[in-house]
């Protein structure tokens, strides 16, 4: 009876959760597929240079807020340097200076958050910036060739297809097929002149394509062509048109570095990532009645910052379910019931390898000190408090040592759960004393595996998306937990433990 | 893997999840748990119904009581320190002899008075208790174990674990301490579990860790075919633990004292599953076998009889 009752009690929230999710999906247009709406992007310029003794100076050409993107937020990270911004001829240069530089590698960061320009674009904003003399730039043969090919292309294709093909052919690689027999053009000047000849307002810009998780990107050349008041951006390196909302224009020069003094071996990297918001209110169906209740019960109703906090909070039940699974189905034994869930969550914040190595260091350190403490014969709670203090000091130490060697990853130690680590150290050391090294390391290994399971669950992007967009996922989690609570089958490790029963057979 | 699951099911092997859901949760009323979890309460209840238990030297409940430790053990050349609510044999320290150099734990392991006091403090603070709650230190007389098992035991006292289902002993094993278990009789600490025939009380083969053994690894003596003395009395004692504890699924630990015979050491509301390995018999199989024969209001005699008919 009990098992039937709990089967029903377990299934009700699962069915309820799935039903609400389906309603949300079909009636309120919330997609099951994680798509990035309402793009907002983080762009980060990282300049690394070898600073010499004496005066160090770096001038960074700053992008101005201009279509297609508006800059929402910006900031510098250049410790020890003073910042001044200089404006001239519509350009803005950030001047970072330091008077008494030591000889060391320096890293400067300039962070931006950009959004697509929402205002109506200004009419005819694009002029011929570089008015090239067509006759001086192109040969008569090239001019006639271009005009001939263009008239053929014009007859065959309508806009905007026509412009796309023109750009593709003008900026073709030498090996590519020349569909309309366009004459060979040499260099970017000739290509720009060719566009002018064919009555296009065009100019070269330098910027970056906004891509998710893009690291080590550089500024690329784009051709901006005006087509019926809209700017078309053609990437000359990728040889394709990039949608305007995915282009961030830095400026008119290839290098974002305006000047430098006392700095050598300068390297530049651009990092772009999407600021994820999955909700587009304007696309939202008008909800009324009970649909409105479901619509109101959405995490997108709360401010973005809290949304992030809630995603972490919502991950805890899933992590707990994962831990219950590792115990009751896999049969792993860990130090502390929910220790793997919390470690998994912490690793999610620090990153797997950074977090795992920091944990490894701190636990080893803690164990060493803990054995010294056991010699002092302290009472249990003061001993735990002492271990806790040492763990905190250890974390601080790692942070300071790491920072002085410019290992920025060590700053992640702040999010590690110190109380849990302390309990792990205490239990591990007691276990080593009581049951020996082998057994303790086996338990430790179990804990590591369980933490990793919790980690892989909480870092699953799709789960995160589901939890954020469909809060009713928690009903399903609850239902699954109840069902798991009635699982009376063997644990995986028990198959091994009782192997003498089935190996004989 | 599925073949393994099928075979285990067919042989009626009990898993941890199943034990918790079907037997412990259903048959062991939570309000009776203290009768098993608190060694002092077990001792008191058992004494009331006339079951022999090791004598109590004293208890220490507060950190301040530790001052009395020396005085309490003064008249005793040997004794045992136990956490009242400990589990799995953790936190138990056996002192075999008091010497001028300290307390002898056997095999040359000598500890000082301050070590023992710290150990007592650890017990009081709940280091070994279930759920980490503050605990009580129990000081007991050390048992003089029967010579019968001397050559198959190293550094400790062997005990007999009996699983009692609704008052009927269904499976038993003899647990022999080894070098590896550091004198303890707990299987997960490296002791040997030897299967025992319910009908006669003679041992079959044993398991150590996960391998089947027929001789003691340290003494090289045979462990098969040993006769457990006073087998019927022992079964009766185990069976009576159900009467005072009201726990339907119970593990009873008994020891043989040289003078007093079988003594009740402790009872366990969450007994482990290793007894199946020691006997090569699944607990579910045994329970299914015994269940139809259990009637309400069976006398002790009838229950022991039923128990001995199970092989």
């Amino acid at each position: 009876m009990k098992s039937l009752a709990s089967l029903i009690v377990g299934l009700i929230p699962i069915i309820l959760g799935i039903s609400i999710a389906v309603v949300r999906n079909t009636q309120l247009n919330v997609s099951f597929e994680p798509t990035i709406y309402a793009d907002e992007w983080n762009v980060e310029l990282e300049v690394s240079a070898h600073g010499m003794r004496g005066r160090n100076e770096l001038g960074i050409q700053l992008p101005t807020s201009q279509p297609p993107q508006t800059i929402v937020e910006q900031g510098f990270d250049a410790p020890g340097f003073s910042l001044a911004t200089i404006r001239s001829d519509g350009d803005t240069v950030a001047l970072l200076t330091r008077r008494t530089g030591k000889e060391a590698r320096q890293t400067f960061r300039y962070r931006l958050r950009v959004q697509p320009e929402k205002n109506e674009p200004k009419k005819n904003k694009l002029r011929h910036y570089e008015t090239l003399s067509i006759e001086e730039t192109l040969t008569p043969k090239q001019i006639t060739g271009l005009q001939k090919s263009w008239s053929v292309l014009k007859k065959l294709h309508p806009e905007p297809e026509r412009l796309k093909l023109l750009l593709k052919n003008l900026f073709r690689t030498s090996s590519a097929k020349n569909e309309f027999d366009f004459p060979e053009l040499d260099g970017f000047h000739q290509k720009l002149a060719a566009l002018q000849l064919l009555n296009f307002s065009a100019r070269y810009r330098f910027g970056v394509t906004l891509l998710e998780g893009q690291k080590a990107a550089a500024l690329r050349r784009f051709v901006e062509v005006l087509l019926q008041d809209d700017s078309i951006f053609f990437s000359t390196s990728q040889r394709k048109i990039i949608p305007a909302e995915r282009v961030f224009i830095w400026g008119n020069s290839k290098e974002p570095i305006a000047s430098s003094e006392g700095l050598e071996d300068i390297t530049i990297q651009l990092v772009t990532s999407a600021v994820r918001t999955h909700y587009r209110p304007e696309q939202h169906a008008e909800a009324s009645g009970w649909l409105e209740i479901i619509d109101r019960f959405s995490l997108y109703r709360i401010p973005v910052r809290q949304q992030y906090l809630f995603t972490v909070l919502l991950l805890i039940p899933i992590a707990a379910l994962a831990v219950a699974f590792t115990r009751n189905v896999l049969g792993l034994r860990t130090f502390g019931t929910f220790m793997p869930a919390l470690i998994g969550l912490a690793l999610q914040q620090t990153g797997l390898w950074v977090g795992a190595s920091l944990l490894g260091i701190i636990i080893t350190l803690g164990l060493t000190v803990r054995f010294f403490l056991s010699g002092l014969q302290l009472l249990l709670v003061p001993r735990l408090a002492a271990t806790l203090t040492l763990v905190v000091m250890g974390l601080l130490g790692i942070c300071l040592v790491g920072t002085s060697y410019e290992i920025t990853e060590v700053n992640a130690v702040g999010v590690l759960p110190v109380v849990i680590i302390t309990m792990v150290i205490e239990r591990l050391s007691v276990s080593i004393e009581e049951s020996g090294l082998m057994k303790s390391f086996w338990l430790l290994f179990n804990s590591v595996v369980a933490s990793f399971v919790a980690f892989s669950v909480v870092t699953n992007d799709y789960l995160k998306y589901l939890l954020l967009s469909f809060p009713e996922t928690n009903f399903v989690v609850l239902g699954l937990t109840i069902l798991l609570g009635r699982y009376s089958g063997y644990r995986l490790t028990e198959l091994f433990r009782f192997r003498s029963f089935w190996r004989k057979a | 893997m599925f073949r393994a699951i099928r075979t285990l099911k067919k042989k009626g092997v009990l898993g941890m999840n199943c034990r918790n859901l079907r037997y412990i949760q259903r048959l062991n009323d939570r309000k009776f748990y203290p009768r098993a979890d608190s060694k002092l309460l077990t001792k008191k209840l058992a004494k009331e119904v006339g079951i022999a238990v090791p004598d109590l030297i004293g208890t220490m409940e507060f950190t301040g009581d530790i001052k009395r430790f020396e005085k309490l053990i003064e008249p005793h050349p040997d004794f045992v320190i136990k956490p009242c609510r400990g589990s799995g044999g953790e936190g138990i320290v056996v002192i075999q002899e008091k010497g001028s150099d300290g307390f002898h734990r056997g095999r040359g392991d000598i500890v000082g008075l301050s070590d023992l006091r710290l150990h007592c403090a650890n017990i009081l603070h709940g280091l070994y208790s279930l759920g980490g709650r503050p605990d009580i230190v129990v000081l007991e007389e050390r048992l003089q174990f029967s010579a019968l098992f001397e050559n198959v035991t190293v550094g400790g006292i062997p005990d007999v674990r009996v699983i009692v289902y609704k008052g009927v002993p269904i499976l038993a094993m003899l647990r022999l301490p080894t070098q590896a278990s550091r004198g303890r009789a707990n299987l997960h600490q490296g002791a040997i579990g030897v299967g025992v025939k319910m009908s006669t009380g003679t041992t079959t083969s044993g398991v150590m860790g996960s391998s089947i053994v027929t001789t003691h690894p340290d003494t090289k003596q045979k462990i098969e075919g040993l006769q457990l003395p006073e087998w019927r009395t022992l079964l009766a004692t185990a069976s009576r633990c159900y009467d005072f504890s009201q726990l339907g699924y119970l593990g009873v630990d008994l020891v043989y004292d040289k003078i007093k015979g079988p003594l009740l050491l402790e009872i366990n509301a969450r007994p482990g599953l290793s007894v199946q390995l020691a006997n090569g018999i699944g607990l579910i199989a045994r329970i299914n076998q015994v269940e139809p024969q259990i009637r309400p209001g069976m006398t002790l005699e009838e229950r022991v009889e039923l128990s001995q008919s199970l092989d």
Side-chain angles (χ1 to χ4, degrees), chain B residues 134-155:
Chain B
D135 202 0
I136 299 172
V137 180
V138 178
L139 295 173
E140 265 179 7
E141 59 158 9
R142 188 169 82 98
L143 300 161
Q144 303 301 314
F145 71 93
S146 169
L148 179 74
F149 303 121
E150 235 164 15
N151 47 22
V152 285
T153 299
V154 172

Side-chain angles (χ1 to χ4, degrees), chain A residues 136-169:
Chain A
E136 273 176 33
T137 320
L138 298 168
T139 62
K141 200 180 154 204
Q142 281 172 326
I143 293 174
T144 44
L146 276 164
Q147 279 163 338
K148 209 176 117 203
S149 303
W150 178 238
S151 59
V152 177
L153 177 58
K154 249 167 131 177
K155 269 180 211 143
L156 288 173
H157 297 280
E159 290 291 13
E161 190 64 15
R162 179 196 287 176
L163 174 62
K164 193 174 145 191
L165 286 167
L166 171 67
L167 289 167
K168 265 203 165 149
N169 279 292

Side-chain angles (χ1 to χ4, degrees), chain A residues 183-442:
Chain A
E184 288 294 325
L185 296 174
D186 197 24
F188 289 109
H189 263 66
Q190 284 203 335
K191 286 167 186 173
L192 195 62
L195 282 167
Q196 283 178 22
L197 172 74
L198 305 174
N199 287 323
F200 284 104
S201 282
R203 61 173 165 170
Y204 288 128
R205 314 296 308 272
F206 289 87
V208 61
T209 310
L210 295 170
L211 292 172
E212 169 58 7
Q214 179 176 230
K215 288 181 182 128
L219 288 185
R220 298 280 182 202
R221 185 189 294 268
F222 287 88
V223 195
E224 185 184 359
V225 186
L226 200 66
L227 186 71
Q228 289 141 11
D229 295 342
D230 283 330
S231 284
I232 303 291
F233 290 91
F234 182 85
S235 160
T236 59
S237 51
Q238 287 171 278
R239 291 182 190 79
K240 64 177 183 190
I241 289 173
I242 309 291
E245 68 269 16
R246 283 297 179 95
V247 178
F248 178 67
I249 295 300
W250 199 280
N252 299 326
S253 58
K254 192 166 166 47
E255 288 296 322
I257 304 298
S259 62
S260 75
E261 191 188 318
L263 294 169
E264 283 182 356
D265 187 19
I266 301 175
T267 60
I268 297 161
Q269 273 189 13
L270 274 162
V271 178
T272 64
S273 67
V275 178
R276 282 170 183 278
T277 47
H278 303 276
Y279 182 72
R280 192 150 52 169
E282 63 265 29
Q283 271 221 343
H284 219 62
E286 261 312 299
S288 62
W290 57 278
L291 268 182
E292 197 191 338
I293 299 171
I294 295 179
D295 191 28
R296 279 183 180 280
F297 189 66
S298 165
L299 279 173
Y300 296 116
R301 296 269 168 193
I302 57 177
V304 178
R305 189 184 284 273
Q306 271 87 333
Q307 274 179 28
Y308 173 72
L309 197 75
F310 262 94
T311 343
V312 176
L313 199 63
L314 286 173
L315 285 173
I316 296 176
I318 293 239
L321 176 62
V323 166
F325 180 84
T326 59
R327 167 160 301 209
N328 290 109
V329 180
L330 301 184
L332 300 179
R333 302 191 60 91
T334 57
F335 292 112
T337 313
F338 284 110
M339 161 267 181
L342 291 161
I343 297 285
L345 276 172
L347 291 183
Q348 183 240 344
Q349 311 235 319
T350 57
L352 182 60
W353 296 113
V354 173
S357 5
L358 287 175
L359 275 177
I361 295 171
I362 198 72
I363 288 178
T364 316
L365 221 66
L367 265 185
T368 319
V369 183
R370 169 65 183 71
F371 276 109
F372 163 73
L373 276 182
S374 74
L376 292 180
Q377 302 193 333
L378 304 178
L379 294 176
L380 178 67
V381 180
R383 186 174 65 223
L384 280 176
T387 315
L388 181 66
T389 311
L390 289 162
V391 166
V392 172
M393 282 163 64
L395 291 179
L396 185 69
I398 291 176
C399 196
L400 292 176
V401 171
T403 308
S404 68
Y405 285 100
E406 296 215 1
I407 309 166
T408 48
E409 284 84 2
V410 294
N411 295 325
V413 295
V415 301
L416 293 179
V418 285
V419 175
I420 296 287
I421 295 174
T422 307
M423 290 314 291
V424 169
I425 291 170
E426 177 67 21
R427 291 218 171 109
L428 188 58
S429 71
V430 168
S431 161
I432 290 172
E433 271 176 41
E434 292 269 316
S435 341
L437 267 179
M438 281 303 288
K439 178 109 187 147
S440 306
F441 279 112
W442 170 241

Side-chain angles (χ1 to χ4, degrees), chain A residues 1-3 327-329 333 374 377-383 426 430 432-436 439 484-492 494-505, chain B residues 1 3-5 7-9 11-18 20-22 25-26 63 90-91 114-115 118 121-122 125-128 182 184 188-189 210 273-274 276-277 280-282:
Chain A
M1 265 334 274
K2 247 184 206 159
S3 42
R327 167 160 301 209
N328 290 109
V329 180
R333 302 191 60 91
S374 74
Q377 302 193 333
L378 304 178
L379 294 176
L380 178 67
V381 180
R383 186 174 65 223
E426 177 67 21
V430 168
I432 290 172
E433 271 176 41
E434 292 269 316
S435 341
K439 178 109 187 147
L484 182 60
R486 293 299 302 181
Y487 171 70
S488 67
Y490 297 109
R491 299 174 180 180
L492 191 64
E494 280 175 348
L495 297 186
F496 179 74
R497 182 181 175 190
F498 295 125
R499 64 191 178 283
S500 60
F501 278 96
W502 52 272
R503 283 246 175 102
K504 272 192 298 198
Chain B
M1 195 173 88
R3 188 180 65 88
I5 294 172
T7 318
L8 288 182
K9 267 204 173 140
K11 297 207 167 179
V13 175
L14 183 64
M16 195 64 89
N17 293 329
C18 190
N20 293 344
L21 279 176
R22 276 203 223 143
Q25 281 189 14
R26 282 192 204 168
T63 318
E90 280 180 15
S114 65
D115 292 312
L118 175 74
N122 278 339
H125 285 94
L127 188 60
Y128 306 103
R182 294 159 77 187
R184 285 176 190 148
H188 74 261
Q189 287 173 332
S210 53
L273 304 168
S274 312
Q276 303 179 103
L277 286 169
I281 296 168

